[in-house]
Amino acid sequence: NPAFDIHCGVEKFLAEHENHMKSYHRHIGGKGVNVSRALHENGVESTAFVILGTQNSADFERELSACGIDYLPVYIKGRIRENITIHPENAPETRISFEGCHVSPETAAEVFNMMLPLCDGETIFSFNGRMPTGLAVSEVDVVVQRVVLALDTNHVEQVYVCRCSTHEAVNKCVTLHHT
C-alpha cells in the first residue's frame, strides 16, 4: 500500500486558520516501500510488489527508480494515497491521511500470482502497513500459507516471522505484544 509522505514545517499550527509552510518535503513511502529502501541501502536484494494508482503513478515510479528500488507494478484506477504531516516548531505534529486506491480481490490475485512462483521456502515476503482499501486479510491468506512471512501492520506493533495463516500470525503477534 504505497504512499506519498508529505511533510510541512510551520512556525505554529492553528486549526481553522490559514497556515503558511516554512518547509515542504515529499517522498515515496508506505511501510513496504520503506522496507525495500532500507534493504537496498544495506546491499540486500529485494523486489517491491506495488499496486499503483494511475493518476499519480509516474512521480512514484520516478522516485522508486531514483532510490534504486527494484519493483514490479500493478496499475489500477485511482490515486496512490497521500499522508500529510504538519510539523509545528514547538508543538506535536498533526497527520492527515487520505484513502488510496480501491484494491479489488482480482487485483490482489494478480499481485499474488506474480509472487507465488517465488515461494521457494527461502524467500521472505514482508506484508507491511495499512491494508489497502477494498482488500480483506482473508484474501491475503492464499499467499501467506505458502511463504515465510514478516508481518508488520497498523494492528500489530511487532514484526513476527512465521509460516502460518494470517489469522494465526495476527493472533500470535497480538499474544506476543500483550505478554
Side-chain angles (χ1 to χ4, degrees):
N1 194 9
F4 282 105
D5 291 326
I6 302 164
H7 295 270
C8 303
V10 296
E11 186 175 326
K12 188 176 185 180
F13 177 71
L14 298 171
E16 301 180 15
H17 288 81
E18 183 174 6
N19 292 271
H20 297 278
M21 290 188 303
K22 294 179 87 175
S23 64
Y24 169 88
H25 178 72
R26 182 181 88 161
H27 63 274
I28 59 172
K31 284 187 179 180
V33 170
N34 293 340
V35 167
S36 290
R37 181 185 294 114
L39 290 170
H40 174 75
E41 289 174 358
N42 286 283
V44 178
E45 289 184 31
S46 72
T47 301
F49 292 84
V50 290
I51 300 173
L52 302 174
T54 54
Q55 289 179 6
N56 57 351
S57 61
D59 285 348
F60 202 90
E61 289 186 276
R62 266 192 295 280
E63 286 194 50
L64 282 169
S65 295
C67 291
I69 297 173
D70 184 29
Y71 69 98
L72 292 172
V74 172
Y75 301 99
I76 61 175
K77 291 180 185 177
R79 293 183 60 78
I80 296 167
R81 70 186 171 96
E82 296 169 308
N83 300 315
I84 300 172
T85 305
I86 302 167
H87 301 276
E89 289 181 2
N90 295 308
E93 66 184 33
T94 297
R95 187 169 175 153
I96 302 167
S97 296
F98 294 90
E99 287 293 323
C101 319
H102 184 276
V103 178
S104 69
E106 294 79 19
T107 300
E110 183 180 345
V111 173
F112 296 152
N113 286 335
M114 293 166 61
M115 296 168 71
L116 285 173
L118 302 174
C119 296
D120 60 8
E122 299 297 319
T123 301
I124 296 176
F125 287 87
S126 177
F127 293 87
N128 306 92
R130 184 192 311 177
M131 189 70 71
T133 303
L135 189 59
V137 171
S138 62
E139 294 162 336
V140 176
D141 266 341
V142 67
V143 173
V144 170
Q145 292 175 14
R146 296 188 51 194
V147 301
V148 176
L149 168 72
L151 176 69
D152 178 18
T153 71
N154 290 355
H155 304 289
V156 180
E157 294 183 20
Q158 303 224 357
V159 176
Y160 186 72
V161 178
C162 61
R163 186 181 292 278
C164 56
S165 73
T166 305
H167 179 73
E168 291 170 325
V170 169
N171 285 339
K172 288 178 183 176
C173 291
V174 170
T175 301
L176 286 173
H177 178 67
H178 290 297
T179 57

